Amino acid sequence: GENVEQHPSTLSVQEGDSAVIKCTYSDSASNYFPWYKQELGKRPQLIIDIRSNVGEKKDQRIAVTLNKTAKHFSLHITETQPEDSAVYFCAATIPQTGANNLFFGTGTRLTVIP
Amino acid sequence: ETGVTQSPTHLIKTRGQQVTLRCSSQSGHNTVSWYQQALGQGPQFIFQYYREEENGRGNFPPRFSGLQFPNYSSELNVNALELDDSALYLCASSFGGKREGKLFFGSGTQLSVL
């Protein structure tokens, strides 16, 4: 199956700075890469996703980049705000197991310091 | 639009008992997936239900079973509970079986096995 590694496990940034979270995957057949934000005690929320036929996608302050050759993808958050503080999970899926079988990373706890 | 709802929110059981968790999918969604999230870890795929049948399963033993009903709601049953089954159980709904990748999660059921 797929193996997704995520770094760093914790990240602290000053408000207004940028934050970058990186993930690598093992199966070159992976074709869908979502990112989820999970606040303490709440549900994971889809914040952005990218498919393997696209190299970059942006949504306001959030962007995701994908390098298929190197098998890694990254989440970029610009102009961070205290409400961005949460645990972020990357995930990947491979066609053989179906789009809903997401393989998740172990999470990055982001703290934005006011 | 109604989101994914799960019940109960918290549950305490003893080892060897059986438990049933329930999930109502988001309106318009016909596919339900279940995930187990241990403390400090990313969610792990248990299985998926589409058209009332299991159509994808992760690395979980047969004592984890499920059902999907005609209204697309779903149950997760776990028999012979073990201490390691203590976790947050997340239900996610989507549309289109294995083809659609956008999962929307419920808030989860926190299961404690003593």
Side-chain angles (χ1 to χ4, degrees):
Chain A
E2 174 64 282
N3 181 43
V4 177
E5 295 191 355
Q6 184 172 348
H7 301 280
S9 56
T10 60
L11 180 60
S12 291
V13 299
Q14 292 289 334
E15 182 177 357
D17 287 350
S18 295
V20 180
I21 302 170
K22 298 182 179 181
C23 290
T24 60
Y25 60 98
S26 60
D27 196 321
S28 57
S30 289
N31 63 352
Y32 175 65
F33 307 91
W35 285 86
Y36 284 84
K37 174 184 180 182
Q38 188 174 29
E39 297 176 68
L40 190 63
K42 296 195 174 179
R43 71 188 73 197
Q45 286 192 303
L46 177 68
I47 55 172
I48 196 167
D49 57 5
I50 192 168
R51 298 192 182 271
S52 58
N53 58 348
V54 176
E56 183 173 357
K57 185 176 178 181
K58 206 170 185 179
D59 183 4
Q60 299 182 343
R61 296 186 297 110
I62 294 173
V64 57
T65 58
L66 171 64
N67 183 328
K68 284 194 298 183
T69 304
K71 290 190 281 189
H72 67 68
F73 56 113
S74 300
L75 177 72
H76 304 253
I77 306 174
T78 58
E79 300 171 25
T80 54
Q81 301 167 2
E83 50 266 38
D84 294 330
S85 296
V87 179
Y88 290 81
F89 291 98
C90 62
T93 188
I94 52 178
Q96 297 94 307
T97 62
N100 293 313
N101 180 1
L102 293 177
F103 293 86
F104 280 87
T106 50
T108 296
R109 181 173 298 279
L110 174 65
T111 303
V112 180
I113 303 164
Chain B
E1 186 178 86
T2 306
V4 180
T5 58
Q6 292 185 242
S7 63
T9 54
H10 295 83
L11 204 52
I12 299 174
K13 291 285 188 179
T14 56
R15 196 171 51 180
Q17 285 189 310
Q18 177 265 342
V19 68
T20 298
L21 311 182
R22 295 179 174 84
C23 171
S24 293
S25 61
Q26 182 167 311
S27 61
H29 286 180
N30 58 9
T31 305
V32 173
S33 305
W34 286 92
Y35 284 78
Q36 181 195 66
Q37 187 177 21
L39 192 63
Q41 299 295 316
Q44 279 198 297
F45 177 69
I46 303 174
F47 45 54
Q48 173 187 294
Y49 276 82
Y50 174 60
R51 293 183 174 176
E52 302 178 48
E53 291 189 355
E54 182 184 300
N55 82 331
R57 189 177 185 95
N59 191 25
F60 281 81
R63 58 189 186 84
F64 285 78
S65 63
L67 286 172
Q68 186 180 33
F69 301 99
N71 66 354
Y72 308 125
S73 66
S74 177
E75 287 182 354
L76 164 65
N77 299 292
V78 186
N79 293 324
L81 284 167
E82 300 178 0
L83 298 180
D84 285 349
D85 295 334
S86 295
L88 179 68
Y89 287 84
L90 294 163
C91 168
S93 77
S94 60
F95 180 79
K98 289 186 176 183
R99 293 181 290 109
E100 176 55 56
K102 291 186 187 294
L103 295 191
F104 295 89
F105 283 90
S107 297
T109 294
Q110 185 67 53
L111 173 64
S112 299
V113 182
L114 306 178

